[in-house]
Amino acid sequence: MNLTPKQVLFIPPHATTAIERDFPIVEISQVAERESWRKEINRPIYHIHKWWATRLGSVFRAITLAALSPPDTNNVWQNFYKSHQFTDKVILDPFMGSGTTLGEAVKLGAKAIGCDINPISTFLVRQAFTRVPETKLRAAFALLEHKVAPEIRRYYQTRDPQTGKLISVLYFFWVKTVTTPNRETIPLFSRYVFSQNAYPKKKPKAQIVCPSCWGIIENRYDAIDLICPHCEYRFNPQKGPASGQYIIAKDGTRYRIKDLLPSNGNPPDHRLYAIMALRPNGEKVYLPVGEEDLSLYAEAEARLQSETLPLPTLKVRPGHNTNQARSYNYTYWRDFFNSRQLLCLGLLLRSILEIEEKAIREQMLCLFSSTLEFNNLFCSFKGEGTGAVRHTFSNHILKPERTPLENSIWGTGKSSGTFSTLFESRLMRAKSYLDCPFEIDFKGDLTKRTASKKTLSSQPINVHTVETWEHFQKKQDSLMVLNGDSSHLPLPAKSVDAVITDPPYFDFVHYSELSDFFFAWLSPVFKDRYPEFAKFDSSDQGEVQDKDPHVFTRQLATVFSECQRVLKDNGVLVFSFHHSKVEGWAAICQAITIAGMVVVAAHPVHGELRAATPKKAAKAPISIDAILICKKYSSFNFYLDEQTIISKTKTLGKRLEDAGMSISTADRFVILASQMLIPLSQQTRDFKSVCSLLEQVHQAFQSSC
């Protein structure tokens, strides 16, 4: 195959930044790997609230440093932990998401501009960078704890059979049920083991529910023949009535679960079957459900009908990420919560809205919205020995949970994902990071789980959020945060030194479909204050998100074209990207070309936790991000031929493997495709041609391996 005349140049002849020449892929991947295990701890400022596909801060620090450093910089890695003051540099992120680029830019002393079309993104970024006194936040929390926490805790308690006293409930265990035409109600258990340790071979003790009397039995996680000590019923704990999309009735009849959904259009019914409670001495205990527990829930149901609370009314719109929930009759966002959750969340939100000071109120609203992710019927139980609550967005689609876990909303000291625990672990940790923006100082390789430490490499983050270019220019410590379409930015031409971003993927996560989950609660609160919340949902006409790669190309090209306009002549557009299909890479390539830019370099780096739920389900998970470096088109005329691309792909993969990183076949494709974009972006080609060339070289690469 002949891509171009076989002139091989690895280094762009007109490099103006260090990132065009080289990038410390091994060292940064090692730090990034460590960060990815606990992102909310290692970069708390970007995890004050849920956002999807949040990239790693250490990677974007290195990208920003390399993009702002001259090409003769000795080594970006040598400067990684040094304090910098790029006071005359301006960084733009047109898809700011959780604000990673903005935070890393200001930590390096640069000025930053972020824009996102999604109102949830804009809201969370503003809250992340807002400085408020810790004393005021703690005072507001204490007031809520005094005012509304007792009301919420009242609905999360049960009676201890040992003492007869009421004790706190950590979690209520529920199971969905369906009713057959013969009036048999069947719980959607795939197995009756509902709690086991994350490492069951080491700690085999598990909790099992009896399908006959619904008693709780403690036995091994792998038990296959059990006699219930409460009712003497014999059963196999590993075989429940549900398997895949079907259930088996007692008479052996097989039914499709969706065919048995309620005919009135409501979501499936649920049955409460177990409780994890907390004794005063800190002991966790599993208990069966009693009449008093059912009466308490009924009381919450009745009170919900009598209270006037700020609850969501928004419908769940059809979409790639929402259709599975809708197919189970989840047609309104309030359907994602049971009556007790709606009551207690409504009481909490009503109290937060009574906080007088706007800045403090909005910080608490951000915390409230973050709490929703761990307190709804799409959550499940991870098990003992790990974070207990598997949150709503552990999958990239809104997958109805057959055995949902009801968290305790306000929480206790032993809770996970509750308002009180997230106050400390998310909100206060993020505020502390503003004062001490640390880096992970990691020495070693990925084959050795050696300890890492934290080191300060930046001045405190102290910025003032503005919304206009005029205000942005006036102060060095201003941060411009915009909500809107990034294809029309209120910025002068050639005003930005570097564009650093992570664009959406055309067929992956449709952000606004998922962010409606939060928008449904926040929109009624903010619609009179912020224009972006005064609409039907969190979507927008200008979204760069479409399953059709041709439409996605056009959408992305409009934003890249605007980036080209505001970028200085020698500036760089740098973005991270990975995709398993040639269509994704062809779309990116064409968007770059249409925007009048070319790819001048590409570097692979660790970008994603391999243990993430969607990745564990993949045969060949992608953990590599390609860092693509683009510049305004000029007569570069440097090319890479097929054999050079294949050779370089192998070399880069080996460098990462030698450092201890596991490289999948899909990762190798990411490296190969990113290198291919260098020659492919030099000449205008149609979509099919780009796909064909990518396929050809990929086949040649596979043959050579």
Side-chain angles (χ1 to χ4, degrees), residues 13 133 149 182-183 217 271-272 332 345-346 494 513 654:
N182 294 331
R183 309 307 300 164
I217 308 163
R271 175 167 178 165
L272 179 62
Y332 288 86
L345 288 168
K494 301 181 181 181
E513 291 173 11
K654 189 174 187 305

Side-chain angles (χ1 to χ4, degrees), residues 379-398:
C379 297
S380 59
F381 188 54
K382 285 184 179 180
E384 299 279 9
T386 184
V389 186
R390 183 178 290 108
H391 60 80
T392 311
F393 302 107
S394 58
N395 289 288
H396 288 139
I397 56 172
L398 290 167

Side-chain angles (χ1 to χ4, degrees), residues 269-304:
D269 292 328
H270 292 79
R271 175 167 178 165
L272 179 62
Y273 69 91
I275 298 168
M276 184 197 284
L278 185 68
R279 287 182 169 138
N281 64 359
E283 178 192 3
K284 296 177 183 177
V285 57
Y286 290 90
L287 300 171
V289 176
E291 286 301 322
E292 190 174 9
D293 302 310
L294 298 175
S295 296
L296 185 64
Y297 184 82
E299 182 186 327
E301 277 187 309
R303 184 177 175 186
L304 178 64

